[in-house]
Amino acid sequence: MTCEQWSYEAMSAFDKVVASSDGFRTRQGQSEMAKHISEKFSSVDLGEHQSPHQAIAVIQAGTGVGKSAAYASTMITLALAKKTRLVISTATVALQEQLMTKDLPALAKTLPTPFVFALAKGRGRYVCKLKLERFVGLDGQAMSEEFNDLFEQDLESPPFNMDFHKKRNNDTEVSQDRRMKLYDAMAGALSIGQWDGDRDSLAEQPLSSDWSAVAAERHSCTARHCPRYKECSYYTARSSLVQADVIVANHDLVLSSLGMKALPDLNNCLVVFDEGHHLPAVALAQFSNTMDLSNLRWLDKLPKTLAQVSEKIGMALIQDVQTLSQQLKNNLGDVARLLMDRLPEGTQRYDAIQRFKNGVLPDDLQPPLNLIHGLAKGISVALEALGAELKLRAKEDPTQAVNLALLYAQLGQLAPRLNQILSTSSLWLTHGEQPLAKWFSSDTRTGLVVLAAHACPIAPGDLLRHHLWGHVRGALITSASLMSCGSFDYFLEESGLSVNEAVSTLSVSSPFDYSTQGRLTVVLTNAAPKDVTSYTNEMVDILCDDLSKITHGALVLFTSRIQMQVAVERLPDSIIEKILVQGQMSRTRLLAAHTARIEAGLPSVIFGMQSFGEGLDLPGKMCETVFITKLPFSPPSDPVEEARGEWLKSLGRDPFSELVVPATGMKLLQWTGRAIRTEEDIAQVICYDRRLIEQRYGRQMIKGLPPYALYRRIGHDLVKQD
């Protein structure tokens, strides 16, 4: 088939899908999006080619466009026609569920060519049957030892002098009894086919500490050499992906699986990154590293574990692991003490974040860090050699596979912590043209001083350009918020696509008539937002007055927990009963309570932090007003943002205009997007931050928002802005 024929087929499929939809309406933006996709991806060359044609489409589709129908109908048709597969990657579980339970089943009934779809999850979402059997099959005494070894919280005394101690409420016997009952129930459900081993399909979600002990993980898995391989929950789920034409995944999984064959090769399939504005942040998270400098008891157990495993298989260790482990622990302790000495004096000195300017470490940290990296590398070599031998013997003698797999799992419990030390120390010792963000944190919320070292690259675009875009042949990136201040420039730079010749951009408008359906009002307070105390007090007073007039649903978005707490404490009794506060219950329960109140004809107001400013769908009476208490600038203390700003300043550039303003503009677009969700909605956005219309950068942000009718308010006087 020619490119024109493929494009025609894709558009024909789209036309059929929208024509068969209930309440069919022609949406110009949706058609424009489908046409762009059909044309751009029909010419993509997949697989082995001398000079393959690549296409990367960046499409902002406003709320209500119906972007999933536009891209799924066309991209699935193109993938099937090209005899390849489509990977749809999302940032949230909510969108995954929508695709798996609603959008894709509907498309499967409508598209002329049948297709199979499946959900891809990370290995850690599935149970390891071998680990589970180890627990439920042990006798009482051995069980106790095993639990002590795996679940013991590091109960050592604080490694540094503290003026206070908090009582630890940890009843080991009760915990073990609870875990035993949990594991027995899980094993029983597995044995009779009532559970598929997927954590998300459990009726009640287990505690992370309980789940981690029985979760499948790469470091403790012998894969095909495991005696439970054929009935493994993870590999069973993965085998279903082989049969799937469409695979739904998430950004974390796609980036972490590059080169690991967990998903189709990106040079031989089509990819959609929905909620694509999250990609830069996910990239930074994937390539950041942290090492714990406080809880080091595992290093005392490491030599014993390696010695026991090596003795059982009759293999001599190639390193003096006992000495290496002790020296590693000593040097980690030395670094911890040096870092603690750098914390500011005062009563709160144990709760702090300290960043190293320009990523340059003090001279006294270099020697112990060099030793830490070398010692960890030596232990890692011994660990890898032992693991490789276990795998080899399991392959050569399947009758010993169970015992060998259990021994391998013991080593696997140590590998992640050792890798964290290796990776973080390596980054801390790295000094290149572009600095890394390097910092350490101290936290006492557990009652002990928890000290950790962190490192993170500062340019997500470089990471994505190197690790992702060089492997992709055909990728669509879409979201309702890819533009900022009316331009794609910020997103293209952040995502590593600013100089990529294969990139095309398109913005398709929402079908909503924002000028008549909505209103954006900026309240002019007397106090400047930078005068935090005065501004917060004045803003809360005005907010309380506005909330007293709410008759249906509303959402109040705060930029800090302190700001939200002040508002909660100042609410009069007449209003407090209307309020549902994020954190007082789970997000699911909170939204259910809000819905129930609205359906009962009662007013209901959600108080939320920044995470409630995105992905919340509250149409109609569920949310008739969105209150924005302050422009959503990122916290000035974020170490990665600080490091990026510092680096740009060193180059003579302005981090505020290049990073802060566009990032805030993009977030503001998401926040205001909570107001109008359907073509019938009538809603308003009220922002109490006068900088939105008084400052040049605020007016830039407005350019990137939907065309609301714009007003300013002084006291009770409302004036329309030109």
Side-chain angles (χ1 to χ4, degrees), residues 214-292:
V214 293
E217 54 184 7
R218 182 170 59 86
H219 294 291
S220 60
C221 178
T222 55
R224 296 181 184 278
H225 308 311
C226 175
R228 300 292 177 268
Y229 174 74
K230 290 185 178 179
E231 62 240 48
C232 173
S233 301
Y234 168 67
Y235 281 105
T236 298
R238 214 174 120 173
S239 67
S240 69
L241 300 183
V242 177
Q243 312 300 324
D245 303 296
V246 180
I247 297 172
V248 178
N250 60 56
H251 302 341
D252 284 299
L253 182 60
V254 171
L255 293 184
S256 64
S257 300
L258 291 173
M260 296 180 64
K261 304 297 182 183
L263 294 171
D265 291 335
L266 297 185
N267 67 350
N268 201 29
C269 71
L270 298 178
V271 190
V272 174
F273 291 103
D274 201 343
E275 301 174 316
H277 60 280
H278 285 282
L279 270 176
V282 173
L284 286 180
Q286 280 290 332
F287 293 95
S288 64
N289 286 283
T290 297
M291 65 177 174
D292 189 345

Side-chain angles (χ1 to χ4, degrees), residues 564 575-585 589-595 597 604-608 612:
M564 184 167 73
I575 296 177
I576 193 69
E577 61 184 16
K578 301 179 183 179
I579 308 300
L580 294 165
V581 182
Q582 179 183 358
Q584 291 183 348
M585 62 183 79
R589 287 181 57 206
L590 184 146
L591 293 177
H594 179 73
T595 302
R597 286 185 183 182
S604 182
V605 179
I606 296 174
F607 275 20
F612 272 54

Side-chain angles (χ1 to χ4, degrees), residues 19 261 296 435 520 615:
K261 304 297 182 183
L296 304 177
L520 171 59

Side-chain angles (χ1 to χ4, degrees), residues 10 29 34 37 152 155 183 213 249 261 263 335 352 364 402 446 605 686 689:
I37 292 169
E152 183 178 52
L155 299 177
Y183 295 152
K261 304 297 182 183
L263 294 171
V335 167
D364 58 354
V402 174
T446 63
V605 179
I686 298 177
D689 196 325

Side-chain angles (χ1 to χ4, degrees), residues 252-481:
D252 284 299
L253 182 60
V254 171
L255 293 184
S256 64
S257 300
L258 291 173
M260 296 180 64
K261 304 297 182 183
L263 294 171
D265 291 335
L266 297 185
N267 67 350
N268 201 29
C269 71
L270 298 178
V271 190
V272 174
F273 291 103
D274 201 343
E275 301 174 316
H277 60 280
H278 285 282
L279 270 176
V282 173
L284 286 180
Q286 280 290 332
F287 293 95
S288 64
N289 286 283
T290 297
M291 65 177 174
D292 189 345
L293 296 169
S294 299
N295 301 322
L296 304 177
R297 291 183 64 184
W298 66 276
L299 280 169
D300 295 327
K301 300 170 186 175
L302 185 146
K304 179 183 176 183
T305 300
L306 266 62
Q308 288 175 340
V309 172
S310 62
E311 184 180 344
K312 286 180 180 177
I313 64 171
M315 175 185 172
L317 290 172
I318 58 176
Q319 303 277 14
D320 181 359
V321 177
Q322 179 70 50
T323 301
L324 292 176
S325 298
Q326 189 57 54
Q327 290 178 345
L328 178 58
K329 184 179 179 182
N330 292 342
N331 279 277
L332 287 168
D334 290 342
V335 167
R337 279 182 282 276
L338 290 170
L339 294 179
M340 287 296 289
D341 289 341
R342 286 176 167 77
L343 289 175
E345 294 292 338
T347 55
Q348 300 299 318
R349 64 177 299 231
Y350 292 109
D351 291 287
I353 292 176
Q354 293 286 305
R355 184 180 63 85
F356 296 106
K357 191 174 181 181
N358 297 313
V360 177
L361 300 181
D363 291 340
D364 58 354
L365 283 175
Q366 297 281 350
L369 277 169
N370 276 306
L371 283 171
I372 285 169
H373 187 72
L375 292 164
K377 184 64 178 174
I379 299 171
S380 180
V381 168
L383 195 67
E384 289 172 3
L386 203 51
E389 182 65 20
L390 288 169
K391 278 191 170 183
L392 178 62
R393 295 194 184 192
K395 180 180 179 180
E396 292 176 344
D397 186 2
T399 64
Q400 292 298 311
V402 174
N403 292 331
L404 293 169
L406 289 173
L407 293 175
Y408 191 84
Q410 282 184 265
L411 300 183
Q413 292 166 3
L414 303 169
R417 288 185 173 186
L418 195 60
N419 287 342
Q420 286 172 353
I421 292 175
L422 264 175
S423 300
T424 309
S425 61
S426 176
L427 288 179
W428 269 41
L429 292 166
T430 298
H431 301 282
E433 256 184 56
Q434 186 183 90
L436 294 161
K438 302 172 187 176
W439 72 99
F440 65 96
S441 61
S442 177
D443 191 335
T444 60
R445 283 176 294 181
T446 63
L448 305 178
V449 175
V450 177
L451 195 70
H454 311 266
C456 181
I458 62 173
D462 290 348
L463 296 171
L464 289 167
R465 185 163 42 246
H466 178 70
H467 294 282
L468 180 62
W469 304 128
H471 304 284
V472 166
R473 293 287 175 78
L476 166 67
I477 306 161
T478 187
S479 168
S481 52

Side-chain angles (χ1 to χ4, degrees), residues 13 90 141 143 154 180 221 245 281 283 314 334 416 419 424 446 527 544 563 616 640:
T90 78
Q141 183 178 357
M143 175 71 76
D154 290 301
M180 272 301 304
C221 178
D245 303 296
D334 290 342
N419 287 342
T424 309
T446 63
C544 287
Q563 186 191 50
L616 210 57
V640 179

